[in-house]
């Protein structure tokens, strides 16, 4: 994460609530919690896993902030701040990568946000990207969420995409797409901290956020450590945090930590400090996403940015043990 810390967004959320209401009619800011989501298996945070690729340059290349998989079409996309633009401008680069880490294409997004989390949704052979948008230049974060088709080589402004504000008095929006279970997660800030709502993906894609399938305040993670990404899968949400460092001496000192939260019980059920990619230079936790359409193929990926300024690289690791 270059030039901007997320820590202030977590510890001082009340200072960044945007005034006014934008976009389509929105759901209540504090919906009543409905019946539980159908229970699913969860990934084991310290369980079996592996590495997809290591130290690959993105288009730019700038630090990878987030990534997303279009599972049906076997596509991978990353979100980055655009090189040469002010940190709070909201100008982003999206890269498309092969599963070996080769850049296949790119898009530019002008005035969108920080790309803390992006999502991908397959509609036939077309990939639709979900991002934050309508940047608040005071903090570089998006005030709405957007959905638009991937178009290699294109440049989109915030006014050229379909966008919504699902929670009328929320701010700092980021989406996460759960393709397997057909849901959209929306993370947002209120005066008391960060919250997450879960919606039907089919309803959300047409701008209907009237039914909230689940809603909760994000639990406290590690004080003083930057939040770096999240993912929604089944009845669980996964969180990713960490700081850039030259090399942790032992697991007890590692700042890169995976968390698993059970939506139905409202409890953290698993966490793990990981030394994956320990030899990487710089090694900053960045981005989290799920790939897979069955338990046998499902993988929870977590990413690292590495390399020196001007030559940043991306690496992806995963967990695939479910219980």
């Amino acid at each position: 994460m270059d030039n901007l810390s997320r820590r202030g967004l977590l510890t001082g959320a009340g200072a960044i609530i945007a005034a006014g209401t934008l976009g389509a009619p929105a759901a209540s800011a504090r919906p009543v919690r409905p019946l539980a989501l159908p229970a699913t298996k969860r990934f084991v945070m310290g369980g079996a896993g592996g590495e997809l690729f290591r130290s690959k340059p993105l288009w730019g290349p700038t630090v990878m902030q987030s990534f997303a998989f279009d599972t049906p079409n076997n596509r991978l996309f990353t979100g980055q701040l655009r090189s040469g633009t002010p940190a709070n401008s909201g100008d982003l680069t999206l890269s498309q990568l092969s599963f070996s880490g080769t850049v296949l294409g790119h898009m530019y997004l002008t005035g969108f946000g920080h790309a803390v989390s992006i999502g991908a949704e397959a509609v036939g052979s077309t990939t639709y990207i979900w991002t934050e948008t309508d940047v608040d230049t005071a903090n570089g974060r998006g005030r709405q969420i957007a959905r638009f088709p991937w178009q290699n080589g294109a440049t989109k402004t915030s006014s050229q995409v379909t966008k919504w504000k699902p929670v009328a008095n929320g701010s700092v929006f980021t989406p996460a797409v759960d393709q397997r279970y057909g849901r959209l997660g929306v993370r947002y800030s209120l005066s008391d901290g960060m919250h997450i709502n879960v919606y039907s993906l089919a309803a959300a894609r047409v701008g209907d956020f009237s039914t909230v399938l689940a809603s909760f305040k994000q639990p406290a993670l590690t004080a003083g450590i930057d939040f770096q990404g999240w993912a929604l899968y089944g009845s669980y949400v996964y969180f990713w945090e960490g700081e850039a460092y030259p090399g942790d001496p032992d697991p007890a000192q590692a700042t890169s930590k995976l968390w698993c939260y059970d939506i139905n019980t409202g409890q953290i059920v698993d966490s793990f400090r990981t030394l994956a990619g320990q030899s990487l230079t710089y090694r900053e936790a960045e981005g989290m996403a799920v790939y897979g359409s069955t338990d046998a193929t499902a993988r929870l990926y977590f990413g690292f940015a590495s390399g020196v300024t001007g030559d940043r690289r991306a690496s992806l690791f995963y967990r695939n043990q479910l219980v």
Side-chain angles (χ1 to χ4, degrees), residues 212-232:
V212 182
L213 303 178
S215 182
F216 59 93
K217 182 179 178 182
Q218 180 178 308
L221 303 179
T222 306
I225 301 298
D226 281 337
F227 180 89
Q228 302 287 17
W230 68 288
L232 171 67

Side-chain angles (χ1 to χ4, degrees), residues 51-59 64 67-70 73-78 80 94-106 150 152 291 299 301 314-317:
E51 175 181 323
L52 185 63
F53 57 71
R54 183 184 293 239
S55 298
K56 298 295 184 178
L58 307 177
W59 185 269
M64 176 181 70
F67 58 94
F69 291 95
D70 171 350
N73 290 308
N74 286 315
R75 294 170 183 156
L76 168 61
F77 303 90
T78 64
Q80 312 143 234
L94 300 179
S95 298
Q96 182 183 356
L97 306 179
S98 71
F99 284 9
S100 62
T102 300
V103 174
L104 302 176
H106 74 281
W150 168 262
N152 186 27
Y291 173 89
R299 293 181 175 185
Y301 282 90
S315 302
L316 295 188
F317 298 83

Side-chain angles (χ1 to χ4, degrees), residues 63-125:
V63 166
M64 176 181 70
Q65 301 292 334
S66 57
F67 58 94
F69 291 95
D70 171 350
T71 294
N73 290 308
N74 286 315
R75 294 170 183 156
L76 168 61
F77 303 90
T78 64
Q80 312 143 234
L81 300 184
R82 194 188 310 175
S83 179
T85 61
N88 283 10
S89 68
D91 295 346
L92 302 177
T93 297
L94 300 179
S95 298
Q96 182 183 356
L97 306 179
S98 71
F99 284 9
S100 62
T102 300
V103 174
L104 302 176
H106 74 281
M107 285 184 73
Y108 291 130
L109 307 178
T110 303
F112 275 63
H114 196 71
V116 173
S117 176
I118 65 173
E121 174 194 359
V123 180
S125 61

Side-chain angles (χ1 to χ4, degrees), residues 160-203:
Q160 293 176 316
V161 297
T162 302
K163 55 189 177 181
W164 307 276
K165 189 171 187 179
V167 180
N169 62 335
S171 65
V172 193
F173 287 91
T174 57
V177 174
D178 181 350
Q179 296 171 95
R180 179 177 179 186
Y181 294 98
R183 300 188 186 118
L184 175 74
V186 177
R187 183 174 179 264
Y188 59 96
S189 176
L190 295 177
S191 59
D192 63 344
M194 304 304 296
H195 292 248
I196 291 175
N197 287 359
V198 180
Y199 304 93
S200 158
L201 182 60

